[in-house]
Amino acid sequence: MAGLDVSRRSFLSASLLAGAVLGFQARLALAATPGTEGAPPPALNAFIRINPDNTVVIGAKNPEIGQGIKTMLPMLIAEELDVAWEQVKIEQTDFDDALYGPQGAGGSRATPVNWEPMRQAGAAARAMLVMAAAGQWKVAPETLTTAQGMVHHAASRRIASYASLAAAAAALTPPELAGVPLKDPAKYTIIGTPRKGVDTPAILAGKPLFGIDASPPGMVYAALEACPVFGGTLASLDDGAARAASGVIAVVPINTGLVAKGKHDAVAIVADSWWSAQQARALLAVEWDNGANAAFSTAGYAREAETALGGEAPSDILRKGDAKAALARAAKTVSARYSYPFLAHGTLEPQNCTALYEEGKLTFWAPSQSPGSGRRQVCEMLDLPPEALTIHMTRIGGGFGRRLMNDYMVQVAQIAKALPGRPVKLLYTREDDMRHDWYRPAGWHALSAGLDEEGRLVALQDHFVTFGAEGKPLRAAEMEETEFPAQLLDDVHFGASYLATNLPTGWLRAPTSNAMGFVFQSFLDEVAEAAGLDLPSLVLRTLGEDRMLEKVGRAPQFNTARARKVIEEAVRFAGWKGTRPKGQSDSGKGRGFGFYFSHAGYFAEVVDVTVSPEGTITVDKVWVTGDVGAHVINPLNAENQVQGSVIEGLGQAMIGQEIEQVEGRITQANFDSFPLMRIDGAPAQIAVNFVTSDYPPTGLGEPALPPVVPALANAVYAATGQRVRSLPMKLA
C-alpha cells in the first residue's frame, strides 16, 4: 500500500498480542505523520489514512486467496475507528512483518491472531481523533462521541469530520494500545454484518489483481523444464537449439529448492513472450540423473503399507492405558482398515511469480500465502540479507496450502539474478503445476475399537502408515495425539509406521484433518452401529460431562460443551430422526452425519445422497452447523467459506481425485485426470447456520471441510449398505 509508506523512523512500536497460535508476539507499528503541503494525507497509523473528502484508506495486511481476509481485517479496524463502511477504501499492503505484524494465509489463523490487534489499531486512531477535537474545542475527551467518521460534542452541538482533525491527530503521541477502550459488541455496526468482497467488482471487470497479471515495464517471460522425477539432478544439457529459437533471451539452469544447494534440477528458458519460451523449451536436450528416485511408485507404497499393517507399529503417537488389554476384555470389538491417496492442490491460477534483480536487491510481485517464509528461502538460496527483498503481495487465484511453499519465489529469484535489470515472470503450465506440486500425503489406517456391555466406547487403537524418515512424519503427514475421541478414553494407542518417498509433501486445506476426519468419523459410524446407536448419539455419549479438556502441545483446546451444542443443533437443523437405516435402502437414498473439531472450529454436518443402481452418487443436500466463537465477522463471506469447504471436501471424496506415481514421476497432467468439482456435481443446497459461544472468534477457511467427507461416506452406507473405507469413492 504505497500511500501508507511513511518513514519507518517515525513509527512507534507497541506490543499488542502474545500470539498463542505460533508462539510469536504480534506487533503493531503506530505512526504519527502530519500531512504537509503536497504530501499524501495524514496517516494515523500503519493501517489508516484519512483523505480530505473524509474517506478512509485502510490497509489490508494479509494475503488474499479468496478467503475474504482483504475485506474482513479492515472491517475490524473500521468498526473501532467508527466510520461508515461506505467511507472505507481498502488497499493491499506490501509485505513488511516488522511493520504490520504477521502476514500470512494458512491454518485459519488470521482471525484469532488479528481479532484484537486490528480492533486496537482502529480504536487507537479514533482516540487520537477525539483527543485532537478535545484540544481544539478545549473540552474533556470523555464528553465527545464519534459516529460515521465524525466527532460530536453534544453540549455545544459542535461536529468535526475526521478529515478536519486528521493532521492534528497525527501529531499526537499514540495512546497505549492495551488501555484503549474497545466497543461494546452490542454497538457494532460493521462486525456481524454481511459485506461483499472488496475485490469482486474488479474481478468481474477483469482488472489485473492476481500474480499472473503482474506486468512491470520491460518484463520478460520464463518457462521451466524441471526434472520429472523429484530429487533428480541435471546430468547434461544441450541448449543450443533453444538459444537459437526466436525470441529467446537466455537459458538458465536453476535449483527448484528440492535438491542440495549448488545443484541444478531445472532449466529456465527466458524469452520476449511466454509462448516463445514455452516453444523453445521443447528444443532442450536434457538428461537427468534420477538416482534411486525412479523406484518410487504409488503401487509400491500400497504394498509396503500392507506389509507394515500386518505387524506392530514401530513408533508411538499416543499410548495411554493399555488399549490392547482393554480390547481383549471388551464385550464387543470393531475393526476396519481405511486409506486415502496423495492429492494435488489444483489451484485455478497456476504457479507464477515475477521478480526484478537490481544492484543486489530483489523486488517481487508474489502470489504467496507465506511471504515471510518465501523471503527466508530466497535469502538462503542467494545469500542475500532480508532487507534486500521487497515483496509486493498480489491477489492469489487459489491457494489451499500450495502457495505456502514459495518454490516459485526461489526459482524466479535465480532467473532474475541471471538477467539483472529486467523483470522476469515465471509461469507454470497446468501440467507443470500438477506434476510439480507439494502433495497431500497418502495414508493407511488399521483401527480397532472396544465396547463394554452397555455399548460404551472404552478402547481405541490405530496403526497409521504414512510417510516419514527416522521415525518422524513428513510435512502434512502428522497425526495429532488429540485425535477425537482419544482424550475422552482411558485406553488408547496410536502407533505409526513411516515409508520413504521422493515426493515433496505439503499442507492441503484443513491439513491432516481433511484425511483424519474421514477415517475416524467413518469408523466411529461403524462403532455406533455395533453399539446399536446412530453416530450423533455415540459422539454425544462419548463426550460425557461439559468440560474443557486438557491442552496438549499446540493443538487447540477442546470444549465438550461447545461440541455438544453444535451436534445437537445440527441434528435439529437437519431434522435427523435419531434412527439409522439398516442395510440397503430400496430408494437408494441415505443420510449420513459427521462431526469434527479442527483449527479451533466445531462443525457437525449432515449429508443426504441418492445412489443410482449403477453406483452414481448424487448429493442432494448438506446441512452445516458450526461454532467459531462469539462473532461471525462477515456472515456473507462466512457462508461462502463454509459452502466452498463442503464442495471441496465432496470433490476430494467422490469425483476421482488422486495422484498416481509411476517410476518416480506423476502421471496426472491436467483436470481431465485430476478432476475438480463441477457445478452439476455440487449439492443443490448447502444450508449453513452458526451457534455462538462466549469465546473469541476463530477462523473459517478450513474447519468446515473435514466433517463433510465422513458424512458423505456414512450417507452412502445408509443408502447402499456398502462401507466406503478408501478414497476416492469407488462403489462396486
Side-chain angles (χ1 to χ4, degrees):
M1 179 167 154
L4 294 189
D5 287 345
V6 297
S7 169
R8 292 176 64 87
R9 286 175 293 183
S10 69
F11 282 83
L12 301 174
S13 295
S15 176
L16 286 183
L17 173 70
V21 177
L22 288 179
F24 57 73
Q25 186 173 44
R27 300 185 64 83
L28 172 65
L30 292 177
T33 58
T36 58
E37 187 174 353
L44 297 187
N45 61 40
F47 298 97
I48 300 168
R49 184 176 72 236
I50 309 293
N51 289 328
D53 63 357
N54 213 36
T55 57
V56 180
V57 179
I58 297 180
K61 74 183 185 73
N62 279 24
E64 173 61 63
I65 53 174
Q67 83 282 39
I69 207 69
K70 190 174 177 180
T71 303
M72 187 276 282
L73 291 184
M75 286 176 68
L76 302 180
I77 294 172
E79 180 68 77
E80 293 292 346
L81 184 59
D82 216 4
V83 294
W85 187 244
E86 293 70 26
Q87 293 174 255
V88 173
K89 299 179 180 180
I90 296 173
E91 294 181 5
Q92 180 71 61
T93 73
D94 285 345
F95 173 72
D96 188 342
D97 53 358
L99 179 60
Y100 299 112
Q103 293 176 272
S108 296
R109 292 190 293 266
T111 297
V113 167
N114 292 290
W115 167 248
E116 187 170 83
M118 294 298 96
R119 289 185 300 139
Q120 287 177 325
R126 174 170 50 87
M128 293 164 70
L129 291 160
V130 167
M131 286 189 287
Q136 290 181 8
W137 295 338
K138 309 300 183 185
V139 297
E142 57 268 22
T143 66
L144 304 179
T145 59
T146 59
Q148 298 190 328
M150 309 291 286
V151 179
H152 299 259
H153 185 239
S156 65
R157 297 185 179 179
R158 281 178 287 190
I159 302 174
S161 68
Y162 283 1
S164 69
L165 299 166
L172 299 175
T173 300
E176 289 291 332
L177 295 176
V180 174
L182 299 176
K183 271 189 180 181
D184 180 345
K187 296 181 179 179
Y188 285 163
T189 60
I190 295 175
I191 294 174
T193 63
R195 304 292 172 174
K196 296 179 181 179
V198 296
D199 283 343
T200 301
I203 292 171
L204 292 174
K207 293 184 178 180
L209 297 173
F210 297 88
I212 203 170
D213 298 322
S215 187
M219 186 177 75
V220 294
Y221 301 81
L224 196 67
E225 179 72 16
C227 182
V229 175
F230 292 101
T233 55
L234 184 63
S236 68
L237 171 65
D238 181 352
D239 61 1
R243 287 181 180 274
S246 175
V248 171
I249 297 167
V251 176
V252 185
I254 66 166
N255 184 318
T256 66
L258 291 174
V259 296
K261 189 173 177 180
K263 293 184 177 292
H264 298 139
D265 61 342
V267 179
I269 303 91
V270 185
D272 56 9
S273 73
W274 184 82
W275 178 252
S276 295
Q278 180 67 6
Q279 293 298 104
R281 173 181 173 182
L283 302 177
L284 291 172
V286 187
E287 291 186 5
W288 305 104
D289 179 4
N290 295 321
N293 295 304
F296 290 109
S297 69
T298 47
Y301 300 142
R303 290 191 296 269
E304 292 181 69
E306 183 69 21
T307 299
L309 290 175
E312 294 292 323
S315 300
D316 282 345
I317 298 169
L318 171 66
R319 186 184 289 271
K320 68 172 183 175
D322 190 336
K324 187 175 183 179
L327 287 167
R329 63 175 179 264
K332 185 181 291 186
T333 59
V334 181
S335 296
R337 289 189 179 185
Y338 281 80
S339 65
Y340 45 84
F342 283 98
L343 290 178
H345 292 82
T347 62
L348 288 183
E349 179 191 24
Q351 307 315 303
N352 66 88
C353 195
T354 302
L356 169 64
Y357 184 84
E358 289 183 304
E359 298 178 352
K361 296 183 178 181
L362 271 165
T363 300
F364 289 92
W365 292 261
S368 171
Q369 289 182 244
S370 180
S373 176
R375 177 182 61 188
R376 176 183 56 77
Q377 293 173 49
V378 169
C379 290
E380 289 177 355
M381 180 64 72
L382 297 185
D383 297 318
L384 292 173
E387 58 270 19
L389 274 62
T390 297
I391 302 175
H392 303 303
M393 296 191 298
T394 67
R395 190 177 172 104
I396 301 171
F400 318 116
R402 172 62 180 92
R403 285 180 159 96
L404 290 167
M405 306 317 300
N406 295 300
D407 46 334
Y408 42 86
M409 289 184 68
V410 172
Q411 293 157 15
V412 77
Q414 296 168 75
I415 304 168
K417 187 178 181 182
L419 285 88
R422 307 183 77 167
V424 180
K425 177 187 286 184
L426 171 65
L427 176 62
Y428 283 24
T429 65
R430 179 67 63 201
E431 290 77 9
D432 295 334
D433 204 5
M434 196 73 72
R435 290 177 169 169
H436 294 277
D437 203 339
W438 296 67
Y439 303 95
R440 194 284 303 273
W444 297 260
H445 296 255
L447 301 115
S448 295
L451 299 167
D452 66 13
E453 292 81 358
E454 296 178 350
R456 296 182 181 276
L457 181 61
V458 293
L460 182 63
Q461 183 171 281
D462 180 29
H463 183 173
F464 175 33
V465 178
T466 189
F467 297 89
E470 300 178 354
K472 295 181 180 180
L474 295 181
R475 177 190 294 111
E478 304 90 350
M479 174 177 166
E480 298 291 344
E481 59 184 294
T482 55
E483 190 63 48
F484 184 87
Q487 286 185 281
L488 299 163
L489 305 177
D490 293 330
D491 297 291
V492 181
H493 180 216
F494 292 159
S497 296
Y498 298 115
L499 310 180
T501 182
N502 71 321
L503 293 183
T505 59
W507 299 286
L508 178 66
R509 189 177 190 175
T512 71
S513 303
N514 54 47
M516 299 300 169
F518 160 65
V519 169
F520 280 88
Q521 286 289 298
S522 298
F523 178 63
L524 286 178
D525 195 62
E526 298 194 51
V527 175
E529 184 175 39
L533 301 169
D534 60 10
L535 182 54
S537 299
L538 177 76
V539 175
L540 288 170
R541 188 166 73 175
T542 304
L543 287 172
E545 63 181 328
D546 291 349
R547 64 204 186 279
M548 187 74 80
L549 300 185
E550 180 182 355
K551 181 168 176 56
V552 178
R554 287 168 47 185
Q557 204 166 0
F558 187 91
N559 186 317
T560 62
R562 294 178 71 180
R564 181 180 303 280
K565 186 176 180 180
V566 162
I567 293 168
E568 290 175 343
E569 174 57 22
V571 167
R572 183 208 64 77
F573 186 42
W576 184 274
K577 300 300 183 182
T579 57
R580 60 173 306 110
K582 302 293 183 182
Q584 187 170 351
S585 165
D586 293 335
S587 65
K589 293 186 177 295
R591 168 170 280 200
F593 173 87
F595 163 78
Y596 207 76
F597 171 66
S598 71
H599 300 82
Y602 301 77
F603 276 83
E605 304 180 19
V606 174
V607 172
D608 278 1
V609 300
T610 301
V611 183
S612 73
E614 297 76 29
T616 300
I617 302 168
T618 300
V619 179
D620 301 315
K621 186 171 181 178
V622 180
W623 288 264
V624 183
T625 298
D627 174 2
V628 290
H631 303 282
V632 177
I633 297 166
N634 184 350
L636 176 61
N637 187 64
E639 183 177 27
N640 292 342
Q641 283 299 297
V642 169
Q643 291 172 336
S645 293
V646 166
I647 291 170
E648 186 170 353
L650 294 174
Q652 292 173 6
M654 62 183 283
I655 62 170
Q657 286 189 3
E658 59 183 323
I659 287 294
E660 179 189 42
Q661 184 185 23
V662 176
E663 295 182 346
R665 63 188 69 196
I666 303 302
T667 63
Q668 282 75 14
N670 213 313
F671 293 139
D672 59 339
S673 53
F674 189 86
L676 302 185
M677 179 68 80
R678 304 297 183 99
I679 290 175
D680 59 357
Q685 289 182 280
I686 303 175
V688 181
N689 76 339
F690 291 96
V691 297
T692 58
S693 55
D694 191 22
Y695 292 87
T698 54
L700 253 178
E702 292 163 294
L705 190 154
V708 76
V709 183
L712 172 64
N714 296 337
V716 168
Y717 172 70
T720 67
Q722 182 177 342
R723 284 287 178 191
V724 176
R725 298 191 179 102
S726 182
L727 297 180
M729 295 180 176
K730 298 172 184 177
L731 301 184

